[in-house]
Amino acid sequence: MALLPILEFPDPRLRTKAAPVDAAEVTTPAFQQLLDDMFQTMYDAPGIGLAASQVDVHKRFMVIDVSEEHDVPQVFINPRIVSASDGGRVYQEGCLSVPGIFADVTRADAIVVRFLDRTGTEQELAADGLLATCIQHEMDHLDGKLFIDYLSPLKREMVRKKLAKQRKHVA
């Protein structure tokens, strides 16, 4: 397994809309290795979700593990939300592509998502709470959207400047 470089805001590649994954590709050794590498990258970061777009692979899939022990890895390939609750819930979100920044975002508290799993089998999952939030957050990445897009333009510009300053101090 290998750690993959994670794209960081404002990298324009994060705005790329991901293409669907061909079902025949799912079970190939190369795709399975990429999934393993994404899990390793996510756990190492550390994070609870990672969309392929964040590692410069612009295909519609993501890995998630919201468990405390990092022992419930989930793969969502070509995910689509088939229903969502009317009531929203506010979570303070962060993102591996926007390091060190956290903001309150309102999302549907409960969703039903249809997707292919790691074996290429179609699944449907009812999710709520943190898992529902994480799925929606990662699906936004697949559509070229970041959680900071939910912020006001002024706050988004403050985030951009803060990240630029952080990078300057690291360099």
Side-chain angles (χ1 to χ4, degrees):
M1 287 193 277
L3 291 179
L4 304 170
I6 298 172
L7 300 178
E8 291 185 3
F9 177 77
D11 192 310
R13 293 172 291 179
L14 288 168
R15 300 304 186 173
T16 304
K17 188 168 170 63
V21 176
D22 184 321
E25 182 181 359
V26 172
T27 56
T28 65
F31 190 83
Q32 293 294 312
Q33 182 63 56
L34 179 56
L35 292 174
D36 290 340
D37 292 346
M38 285 180 62
F39 274 115
Q40 182 179 358
T41 301
M42 178 187 75
Y43 291 136
D44 185 72
I48 60 172
L50 185 65
S53 300
Q54 291 177 273
V55 293
D56 205 19
V57 176
H58 301 287
K59 297 211 175 182
R60 294 193 70 79
F61 68 97
M62 58 201 189
V63 298
I64 291 176
D65 188 344
V66 297
S67 70
E68 290 286 326
E69 297 79 25
H70 304 303
D71 61 355
V72 187
Q74 296 176 283
V75 173
F76 296 83
I77 302 165
N78 297 334
R80 60 191 190 286
I81 295 174
V82 294
S83 68
S85 63
D86 289 334
R89 184 169 186 172
V90 177
Y91 271 99
Q92 188 170 74
E93 295 187 23
C95 181
L96 299 177
S97 291
V98 191
I101 305 297
F102 299 89
D104 289 343
V105 177
T106 303
R107 297 186 187 272
D109 187 45
I111 60 170
V112 175
V113 61
R114 194 170 291 147
F115 59 97
L116 299 179
D117 67 13
R118 186 173 192 145
T119 67
T121 305
E122 186 169 61
Q123 303 284 338
E124 190 168 281
L125 174 71
D128 62 5
L130 180 59
L131 179 58
T133 296
C134 189
I135 291 169
Q136 292 170 83
H137 175 109
E138 300 307 330
M139 285 183 68
D140 274 355
H141 278 297
L142 301 178
D143 292 326
K145 190 171 183 177
L146 300 172
F147 85 99
I148 59 172
D149 295 342
Y150 292 93
L151 305 178
S152 70
L154 178 63
K155 285 185 180 176
R156 205 168 32 251
E157 181 60 17
M158 287 171 53
V159 166
R160 190 191 63 71
K161 286 180 179 176
K162 183 176 181 180
L163 290 173
K165 188 176 180 181
Q166 287 174 356
R167 284 190 199 99
K168 197 178 206 179
H169 283 53
V170 171

